């Protein structure tokens, strides 16, 4: 038997109501903050991600699903959305049409990571990108949207972590200091960090290994090297979060796994999802548009992992949605009434009721069982003596009451059920 690929997951009808709920909530929030949806292709040229996310990042160096298509082009399934959104922003000159573009998305992403709870190879993100302003209030808007969506879902054990990575110039000075500090301790670092010392030194900061963390205790702090404008913006972010009652922790080691960040970065962590605790991550990327060939345009955004959010909801026992209900199940008392049943069902469905009936030639008893299984609010009996008199019987399954109604006045059914 052919099975689904490791790290991919079917979302079955029994789970779909949670997905719909989350998607609707996300759309409602983004609409409130005046973000418009953007949809970009599932695959892009590999070079876009290599340049946008950074050659030395784990995503680009280890996790991308890339292939050469029949035309000889290297293409990659999108591992994240920011690079694709920026590509579309440049390609369609969105910056010339609006000085500030506030965009959102909900989409599958692909990364060849080692699968575990909350970490998949095809997963879903919702996220937002705002292109055109350096205002730290937009950084806060991103954090606020994500935080309030999580709160609205009922999640409680949340930690907002924020940091500032400064400008590339200030970061460069810091990187040199950090390199100097680590060089003579190189042999005590983990193999992975030793490689990063050469290739992507900042990532050593978020190593989880105790052996690295011990060395880092006395390492220079990025904050001591930040330029004034980064410090001012970070101050504004902190003050605004406080005034909006969003609790946060400053986490100087929060460097994130993508190279495009400048100034503010953030993550929101749930303490209830185990190892993969980051529900969302984001930050500012004021140089990315230019790096990808557009006119210099600042940007900020975030993305949240939907599987992880739903896992956190499950673990915190929130998001207990009402069971799905059918409005009317039509029970056919006489076999020859199939045409009439189809006609009545069609009329009711066209009047926006959720209606179903038996397609398996079941007995009346079995049809009733099906009505109960479907959690139907009403049963409409069609057939028998009532039908001969031009009537149908509408039974309310919640309280057991029933009423005889005229078959040629089906609108009466609608008003009773709605
Ligand atoms: P990221 O931190 O790579 O950032 O991913 C954002 C979120 O996607 C994570 O916090 C996590 O919830 C979820 N996620 C990532 N990888 C997986 C996986 N393998 N399985 C399940 N969930 C996963 C970005 O993607 C940036 N584009 C965010 C951003 C937008 N920054 C600025 N704008």
């Amino acid at each position: 038997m052919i099975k689904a690929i490791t790290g991919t997951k079917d979302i079955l009808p029994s789970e779909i109501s949670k997905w719909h709920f989350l998607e609707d909530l996300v759309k409602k929030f983004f609409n409130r903050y005046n973000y418009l949806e953007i949809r970009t292709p599932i695959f892009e040229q590999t070079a876009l991600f290599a340049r946008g996310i950074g050659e030395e990042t784990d995503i680009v160096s280890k996790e991308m699903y890339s292939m050469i298509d029949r035309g000889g082009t290297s293409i990659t399934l999108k591992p994240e959305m920011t690079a694709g959104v920026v590509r579309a922003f440049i390609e369609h000159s969105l910056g010339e049409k609006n000085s500030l573009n506030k965009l959102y998305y909900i989409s599958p992403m692909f990364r060849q990571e080692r699968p575990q709870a909350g970490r998949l190879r095809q997963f879903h993100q919702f996220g937002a990108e705002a292109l055109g302003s350096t205002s730290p209030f937009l950084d806060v808007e991103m954090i606020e949207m994500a935080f309030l969506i999580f709160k609205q879902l009922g999640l409680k054990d949340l930690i907002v972590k924020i940091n500032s990575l400064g400008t590339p110039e200030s970061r460069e000075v810091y990187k040199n200091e950090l390199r100097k500090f680590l060089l003579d301790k190189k042999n005590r670092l983990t193999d992975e960090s030793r490689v990063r010392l050469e290739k992507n030194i900042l990532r050593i900061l978020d190593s989880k290994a105790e052996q690295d963390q011990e060395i880092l205790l006395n390492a220079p702090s990025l904050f001591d090297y930040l330029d004034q404008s980064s410090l001012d913006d970070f101050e504004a972010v902190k003050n605004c979060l406080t005034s909006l009652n969003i609790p946060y922790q400053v986490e100087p080691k929060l460097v994130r796994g993508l190279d495009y960040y400048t100034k503010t970065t953030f993550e929101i962590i749930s303490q209830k999802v185990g190892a993969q605790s980051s529900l969302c991550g984001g930050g500012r990327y004021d140089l990315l548009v230019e790096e990808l060939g557009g006119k210099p345009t600042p940007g900020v955004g975030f993305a949240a992992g939907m599987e992880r959010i739903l896992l956190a909801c499950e673990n915190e026992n929130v998001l207990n949605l009402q069971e799905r209900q059918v409005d009317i199940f039509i029970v056919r008392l006489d076999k020859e009434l199939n045409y009439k049943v189809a006609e009545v069902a069609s009329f009711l469905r066209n009047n926006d009721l959720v209606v179903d009936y038996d397609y398996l030639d079941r007995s009346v008893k079995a049809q009733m069982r099906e009505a109960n299984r479907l959690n139907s609010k009403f049963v409409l009996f069609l057939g028998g003596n009532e039908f001969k008199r031009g009537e149908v019987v509408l039974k309310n399954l919640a309280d057991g009451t029933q009423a005889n109604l005229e078959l040629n006045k089906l609108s009466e059914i609608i008003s009773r059920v709605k």
Side-chain angles (χ1 to χ4, degrees), residues 63-80:
E63 297 167 0
M64 292 205 300
Y65 280 101
S66 302
M67 63 184 145
I68 306 292
D69 74 5
R70 284 168 204 269
T73 308
S74 176
I75 60 173
T76 294
L77 299 180
K78 58 184 172 189
E80 61 106 52

Side-chain angles (χ1 to χ4, degrees), residues 136-153:
F137 293 96
L138 264 182
D139 308 11
V140 174
E141 185 163 288
M142 295 293 167
I143 299 172
E144 185 190 31
M145 286 192 292
F147 185 71
L148 292 184
I149 288 171
F150 300 157
K151 287 274 279 208
Q152 179 83 43
L153 288 167

Side-chain angles (χ1 to χ4, degrees), residues 152-265:
Q152 179 83 43
L153 288 167
L155 294 175
K156 285 186 197 71
D157 286 303
L158 301 172
I159 302 177
V160 178
K161 294 187 175 178
I162 59 170
N163 189 20
S164 176
L165 294 182
T167 56
E169 296 79 39
S170 62
R171 203 156 56 215
E172 219 38 58
V173 179
Y174 172 70
K175 279 188 195 168
N176 281 334
E177 291 304 312
L178 185 62
R179 196 169 290 117
K180 271 192 230 157
F181 171 83
L182 288 174
L183 264 181
D184 59 343
K185 303 165 188 74
K186 193 172 158 182
N187 294 338
R188 286 192 280 135
L189 288 170
T190 53
D191 291 348
E192 198 174 20
S193 290
R194 227 173 297 136
V195 174
R196 284 180 167 158
L197 191 57
E198 308 301 328
K199 297 196 159 172
N200 200 351
I201 186 165
L202 283 186
R203 291 285 288 166
I204 297 179
L205 294 180
D206 69 6
S207 158
K208 304 273 177 301
E210 232 171 76
Q211 139 187 22
D212 292 336
Q213 281 306 325
E214 218 167 276
I215 297 174
L216 289 170
L217 277 179
N218 299 316
S221 165
L222 180 56
F223 275 106
D224 297 332
Y225 297 83
L226 286 186
D227 55 288
Q228 198 55 44
S229 112
S230 299
L231 286 171
D232 291 346
D233 285 356
F234 197 54
E235 229 16 64
V237 167
K238 288 192 291 185
N239 290 337
C240 189
L241 285 172
T242 305
S243 67
L244 294 177
N245 285 321
I246 300 175
Y248 64 85
Q249 286 177 11
V250 175
E251 178 60 68
K253 296 202 173 100
L254 182 69
V255 292
R256 314 255 314 119
L258 306 98
D259 280 355
Y260 47 61
Y261 292 111
T262 50
K263 294 192 170 177
T264 312
T265 55

Side-chain angles (χ1 to χ4, degrees), residues 53-70:
I53 301 170
E55 298 272 6
E56 302 301 342
T57 58
D58 285 352
I59 297 180
V60 172
S61 64
K62 300 188 207 157
E63 297 167 0
M64 292 205 300
Y65 280 101
S66 302
M67 63 184 145
I68 306 292
D69 74 5
R70 284 168 204 269

Side-chain angles (χ1 to χ4, degrees), residues 59 79-83 105 111 113 118-125 127-129 256-258 260-261 267-268 276 278-285 300-309:
I59 297 180
E80 61 106 52
M81 266 301 268
T82 313
Y105 47 83
R111 294 184 195 176
E113 295 193 76
R119 188 161 73 193
L120 290 113
R121 290 180 170 176
Q122 174 172 342
F123 60 99
H124 297 78
Q125 284 184 343
E129 312 292 345
R256 314 255 314 119
L258 306 98
Y260 47 61
Y261 292 111
E267 279 186 15
I268 302 181
Q276 300 307 314
S278 169
L279 296 187
C280 80
R284 199 157 256 296
Y285 46 88
V300 60
F302 79 97
M306 297 172 78
E307 282 81 2
R308 280 188 203 175
I309 293 167

Side-chain angles (χ1 to χ4, degrees), residues 333-334 382-393 404:
L333 301 176
D334 307 314
L382 225 82
N385 289 334
E386 282 84 1
F387 185 75
K388 285 180 197 140
R389 288 203 301 271
E391 288 175 0
V392 288
V393 177
N404 285 33

